[in-house]
Amino acid sequence: MEDATRTRDSIVRTAADIASERGLEGLSIGVLAEALGMSKSGVIGHFGTKEELQLAALQHALEVFRDSVWAPAAELPAGLPRLLAVCEAWTRYAAEPTFRGGCCIAQFVFELDARPGRVHDELARALRRWRLTLVADIAHAVGAGDLPAETEPEQVAFALEAIAEGVNPARMLHENSQAAQWALRAMHTVLGAPSTRAGSLSG
Amino acid sequence: MEDATRTRDSIVRTAADIASERGLEGLSIGVLAEALGMSKSGVIGHFGTKEELQLAALQHALEVFRDSVWAPAAELPAGLPRLLAVCEAWTRYAAEPTFRGGCCIAQFVFELDARPGRVHDELARALRRWRLTLVADIAHAVGAGDLPAETEPEQVAFALEAIAEGVNPARMLHENSQAAQWALRAMHTVLGAPSTRAGSLSG
DNA sequence: CCTACCGATCGGTAGG
DNA sequence: CCTACCGATCGGTAGG
């Protein structure tokens, strides 16, 4: 790997760390430069504008999410088995934060929700893709008879996502590991799978 | 009401509006002053520091939340009847935003989660009180036989809160009114009340 | 990658 | 409540 690429990568990682605490807008080039022991121009030179830096930090956060939540489950059979694996990886990922401020995605969703711009649009695109993945596996599980026939895949996908996002701010009141257990159990409940409804898989 | 008090109130309302979109940190005195047609010193003079302004905006958001979500349900019998009324008011409140950027509380929770300070502490105190209210009604409903005996009140309260917070950012992908319906149904599911489990109240 | 600098905006104060 | 102003920091550029 070239030096410039390695430097750029370390900038992006540190940027995601800071943004997970202070948000993508609260991420300032000066603070980022100081955290890296670099000059401001040395930092921003890799991106041109702050918006490009934000987009790079978002891309990095999305990759980490895919590696942590989707990758471990991807090879499992479509439908309920994969859904259950995703739920477990998702709550574990939300509880043991990859970034200092916890899950970047949840942070960014709430920050960018009501604000226009390219970063908002990229995040919305990624969320839409993720939602489709969930909906497809839920529908597959319904077709296989693993979930009740009256399941509305979109409704369940919404609930799963809300519950996962709820783990992040739970640190304000609770230990995250406790919240992760609660979240996993709530996910099983909203899925409504007969095998998990009684909590037999939620320890 | 005195002029100064009325001015202060209008500042606080506008501050909460802006903070619901840009966050409490993104709320700048200059932008706020311009939105009000006042000078910066005229704005900040009512509070002294930005932190006091943030605390005032938070207090206002908490009052609106109590008026919208708790007040309509408060007189109902403790336990499941009041819980169901709270869930309905909560999802309606989350869907038809009182503030421009949606529910202030959800926004603030995610923004302040990983940041120290007095504003964080005040919000955590308010959330703790709210959580206790929910837990008490859930436990009451269990005692009355309206919820399953194996219900863990803290776990269910966590899930209700996560689902409510999920309505806010759903605007990024969905219509909020649709998300509110989904959220209400998910709340009924995690409550697990026999009368609502089949969705008979969530139609 | 750096230093040096730009105009704009930040929170906040002095004085009236 | 205002104008006028403070030092600090913002994103970004010029030049090397």
Side-chain angles (χ1 to χ4, degrees):
Chain A
M1 194 188 285
E2 295 166 33
D3 273 9
T5 308
R6 208 175 318 125
T7 302
R8 200 195 124 106
D9 278 3
S10 79
I11 295 174
V12 169
R13 274 195 305 271
T14 306
D17 253 343
I18 295 176
S20 73
E21 285 185 347
R22 307 164 101 86
L24 282 166
E25 211 56 47
L27 168 68
S28 96
I29 297 164
V31 168
L32 178 56
E34 203 187 353
L36 289 157
M38 293 174 63
S39 67
K40 288 201 300 172
S41 69
V43 167
I44 200 61
H46 284 271
F47 306 93
T49 66
K50 181 173 174 179
E51 190 179 44
E52 292 294 337
L53 167 65
Q54 292 173 324
L55 286 166
L58 170 61
Q59 283 308 324
H60 176 62
L62 291 172
E63 277 164 31
V64 169
F65 181 85
R66 273 193 292 270
D67 290 349
S68 307
V69 178
W70 177 244
E75 303 299 329
L76 288 170
L80 190 59
R82 189 158 61 184
L83 275 173
L84 293 174
V86 162
C87 289
E88 216 219 301
W90 205 352
T91 52
R92 191 182 324 117
Y93 158 80
E96 38 175 70
T98 320
F99 303 102
R100 277 190 340 225
C103 172
C104 262
I105 312 294
Q107 175 89 16
F108 297 168
V109 165
F110 279 79
E111 180 184 5
L112 300 175
D113 174 25
R115 310 183 68 170
R118 285 173 63 204
V119 191
H120 168 283
D121 295 345
E122 275 304 307
L123 178 55
R125 242 167 46 106
L127 288 180
R128 221 169 280 129
R129 252 184 293 135
W130 179 238
R131 193 72 64 105
L132 287 176
T133 306
L134 293 173
V135 165
D137 261 0
I138 294 167
H140 193 285
V142 172
D146 289 335
L147 290 180
E150 69 270 19
T151 302
E152 279 183 46
E154 294 262 8
Q155 189 267 337
V156 173
F158 163 82
L160 293 179
E161 199 166 311
I163 291 163
E165 283 165 350
V167 174
N168 212 37
R171 118 190 48 209
M172 203 182 258
L173 299 182
H174 306 289
E175 294 200 34
N176 259 28
S177 60
Q178 191 183 31
Q181 280 186 344
W182 289 342
L184 185 54
R185 187 162 161 196
M187 284 178 168
H188 289 163
T189 304
V190 299
L191 277 171
S195 60
T196 61
R197 196 177 254 148
S200 61
L201 292 184
S202 54
Chain B
M1 193 186 286
E2 295 167 34
D3 273 8
T5 308
R6 208 174 320 124
T7 301
R8 201 193 124 106
D9 278 4
S10 78
I11 295 173
V12 169
R13 273 196 304 273
T14 306
D17 252 342
I18 296 176
S20 73
E21 286 185 346
R22 309 164 99 86
L24 281 166
E25 212 56 46
L27 168 68
S28 97
I29 298 165
V31 168
L32 178 55
E34 204 188 351
L36 289 157
M38 293 174 64
S39 67
K40 287 201 301 172
S41 70
V43 167
I44 200 61
H46 285 271
F47 306 93
T49 65
K50 181 172 174 177
E51 189 179 45
E52 292 294 337
L53 168 65
Q54 292 173 325
L55 286 166
L58 171 61
Q59 283 309 324
H60 176 63
L62 290 171
E63 278 163 31
V64 169
F65 181 85
R66 274 193 292 271
D67 289 349
S68 307
V69 178
W70 178 244
E75 304 300 329
L76 288 171
L80 190 59
R82 189 158 61 184
L83 275 173
L84 292 176
V86 162
C87 288
E88 216 219 300
W90 205 351
T91 52
R92 191 181 324 115
Y93 158 79
E96 38 177 68
T98 320
F99 303 101
R100 279 193 336 227
C103 171
C104 263
I105 312 295
Q107 175 89 18
F108 297 168
V109 165
F110 278 79
E111 180 183 5
L112 300 175
D113 174 26
R115 309 184 70 170
R118 285 172 63 206
V119 191
H120 168 284
D121 296 344
E122 275 304 305
L123 178 55
R125 244 167 44 105
L127 286 180
R128 222 169 277 128
R129 253 183 294 138
W130 178 239
R131 193 71 65 105
L132 287 176
T133 306
L134 293 173
V135 165
D137 261 1
I138 294 167
H140 193 285
V142 172
D146 288 336
L147 290 180
E150 69 270 19
T151 301
E152 281 183 46
E154 294 261 8
Q155 190 266 335
V156 173
F158 163 82
L160 292 180
E161 198 166 313
I163 291 163
E165 283 166 349
V167 174
N168 211 36
R171 118 190 47 212
M172 203 183 258
L173 298 182
H174 304 289
E175 293 200 36
N176 260 27
S177 60
Q178 191 183 29
Q181 280 186 344
W182 289 342
L184 184 55
R185 186 161 161 196
M187 284 178 168
H188 288 165
T189 304
V190 298
L191 277 170
S195 61
T196 60
R197 197 177 252 149
S200 60
L201 292 184
S202 53

